[in-house]
Amino acid sequence: MKNMKLFFHAQLSALCLPLTLGLMFALLFPNSLFAESYTRDDLIAYMIKETNLSKTYVEEHLREAKFDADLIRKMNTPYESRPYADYRPLFVNARLKKKSEAFLAKHHDIFVEAQAKYGVAPEIITAILGIETRFGENWGRDRVLDALFTLATGYERRAKFFRKELKAFLILCEEEGLNPMDVQGSYAGAFGVTQLMPTSFLEYAVDGNGDGKRDVWHTPKDIIFSVAYYFSRYSWDDDKMVAHWVYNLPKNAFIKQAMKDETGKYRKMKAFEEAGIQKPKGWSSDEEVALIERETKDGVRPLLVNRNFYAITRWNRSWNYALATTELAFMLGNKKCDIGK
């Protein structure tokens, strides 16, 4: 029996040794955990095949792109994943409100023109730009080429998505006369005051001042018009509310299913009224709404959201982001963005 125990102990040690060595290696060399899964040569071949860009142009820039494992770590721990109680103070505060009011006043005429053309309230556009980059004060310190190259080759969960973004980035740089090596942005590859991703830039960026360039870095009219156009494409409605806290949530089968579906299914407000939820002031019984929850300083609370809320999540899919945008817009005077207490 003793010999048998020694035998199994030896076998177990033999099995554990590679795991132990592997763990030690990972701790000593953490970047090894994020080795490229889509090679540089594969990526170059893909870009040449999928675009009309010259082989020389593609190779010149992708040979210089650098892989940065720290960017993958950042992708796995985004701000938006925090409880809303922790996320909210980052953006719904007096300092950002003051900056936002100054930006609104400075570009008042552009906002008036943008709202007339696209039907998107100035406060919503301002809140987006304030949250994204503090109106250009911080649009990121990572080189976009490196960020997209890293995520396209080493972030397996969404590598396909980032290969498309890298392709769009190379195309827009050639179209806009930009050097891909010089553009800086976020760790996810967004750039400019707007923090548009490359595919979104190609689809939604606007040459507001008619100079032949879509300058989302330095030209206020291009910046403001681009955000307005984006929201108009997702059917933003200035006449509708956005979200509202629910008190005394009824406990029945309909509510339980709505909470399970969240924003995966929108229903008429009338159905929620029939289930026992009081219609918020300013809401229509015919509009489509969904029921979600957020973790606040007062605990987890239910929230009614409508298609305007959905439009904000097309810009950034985080519910925290959409709710903070709404609250900041309300602080700037947009009564339609009142979500209650």
Side-chain angles (χ1 to χ4, degrees):
M1 182 63 70
K2 181 178 180 181
N3 289 337
M4 184 64 72
K5 289 182 177 179
L6 290 172
F7 171 78
F8 282 115
H9 179 74
Q11 294 302 309
L12 183 61
S13 298
L15 288 171
C16 290
L17 182 59
L19 295 176
T20 303
L21 291 175
L23 180 59
M24 290 175 60
F25 184 81
L27 292 173
L28 291 171
F29 305 101
N31 286 359
S32 66
L33 295 174
F34 303 104
E36 297 175 35
S37 59
Y38 201 83
T39 70
R40 191 183 301 269
D41 287 338
D42 289 340
L43 196 61
I44 290 173
Y46 169 84
M47 293 300 166
I48 293 172
K49 179 182 178 181
E50 295 291 322
T51 70
N52 291 321
L53 300 172
S54 70
K55 180 179 179 181
T56 300
Y57 181 89
V58 172
E59 287 192 333
E60 176 186 355
H61 296 106
L62 290 189
R63 291 293 178 198
E64 294 298 320
K66 296 179 180 178
F67 186 89
D68 186 350
D70 285 338
L71 301 181
I72 296 177
R73 291 190 181 88
K74 291 177 182 178
M75 286 293 294
N76 288 327
T77 55
Y79 279 122
E80 286 80 7
S81 64
R82 301 180 181 187
Y84 189 61
D86 297 333
Y87 181 86
R88 182 181 184 273
L90 299 173
F91 306 108
V92 185
N93 58 60
R95 186 171 66 172
L96 187 53
K97 177 178 181 286
K98 184 177 180 180
K99 285 181 178 292
S100 299
E101 289 172 337
F103 188 82
L104 270 170
K106 182 176 182 179
H107 303 294
H108 173 267
D109 291 346
I110 297 176
F111 279 115
V112 170
E113 188 177 348
Q115 186 172 23
K117 185 171 184 177
Y118 298 111
V120 182
E123 298 84 7
I124 282 292
I125 299 171
T126 302
I128 291 290
L129 296 174
I131 289 174
E132 288 293 352
T133 61
R134 301 296 194 278
F135 309 106
E137 288 182 7
N138 179 23
W139 59 48
R141 300 181 226 177
D142 295 299
R143 197 167 67 167
V144 171
L145 180 66
D146 295 340
L148 294 176
F149 172 76
T150 297
L151 299 171
T153 58
Y155 191 47
E156 294 186 19
R157 185 164 65 87
R158 300 189 68 195
K160 185 177 180 180
F161 168 82
F162 285 106
R163 285 196 291 274
K164 291 181 180 179
E165 293 297 335
L166 179 57
K167 178 177 74 171
F169 177 67
L170 292 175
I171 291 172
L172 76 86
C173 283
E174 185 179 60
E175 289 182 356
E176 300 295 322
L178 304 171
N179 184 345
M181 309 292 289
D182 294 338
V183 181
Q184 288 189 307
S186 77
Y187 60 80
F191 53 84
V193 178
T194 56
Q195 290 292 280
L196 286 170
M197 291 295 288
T199 53
S200 292
F201 178 93
L202 291 177
E203 182 73 17
Y204 304 107
V206 174
D207 173 17
N209 66 351
D211 67 352
K213 296 290 183 180
R214 293 171 290 179
D215 180 9
V216 295
W217 292 269
H218 307 292
T219 304
K221 198 167 187 179
D222 291 4
I223 292 164
I224 292 168
F225 273 41
S226 293
V227 179
Y229 177 59
Y230 192 108
F231 273 76
S232 72
R233 286 282 298 273
Y234 282 101
S235 303
W236 174 269
D237 188 340
D238 262 354
D239 293 326
K240 290 187 180 296
M241 308 293 278
V242 183
H244 202 276
W245 294 116
V246 176
Y247 291 92
N248 302 318
L249 187 69
K251 295 181 179 179
N252 55 55
F254 176 86
I255 296 299
K256 183 178 180 180
Q257 187 60 50
M259 291 295 294
K260 182 178 179 180
D261 293 336
E262 298 178 322
T263 54
K265 184 175 182 179
Y266 281 74
R267 298 170 170 87
K268 294 288 186 181
M269 182 67 228
K270 183 178 180 180
F272 286 94
E273 292 177 72
E274 292 173 349
I277 292 180
Q278 183 177 355
K279 178 170 63 69
K281 183 179 179 181
W283 292 54
S284 165
S285 294
D286 291 327
E287 66 181 293
E288 294 184 324
V289 301
L291 195 59
I292 67 172
E293 288 181 330
R294 292 289 82 194
E295 185 176 343
T296 73
K297 62 181 178 62
D298 297 319
V300 176
R301 297 182 60 189
L303 188 77
L304 280 173
V305 299
N306 65 13
R307 289 295 184 177
N308 273 351
F309 187 87
Y310 174 81
I312 302 175
T313 63
R314 296 311 86 194
W315 182 276
N316 184 310
R317 294 184 184 275
S318 165
W319 292 345
N320 282 350
Y321 181 97
L323 196 53
T325 298
T326 304
E327 289 207 70
L328 180 56
F330 178 67
M331 290 176 69
L332 298 175
N334 190 318
K335 302 302 182 184
K336 295 294 184 180
C337 291
D338 184 1
I339 65 170
K341 299 294 185 180

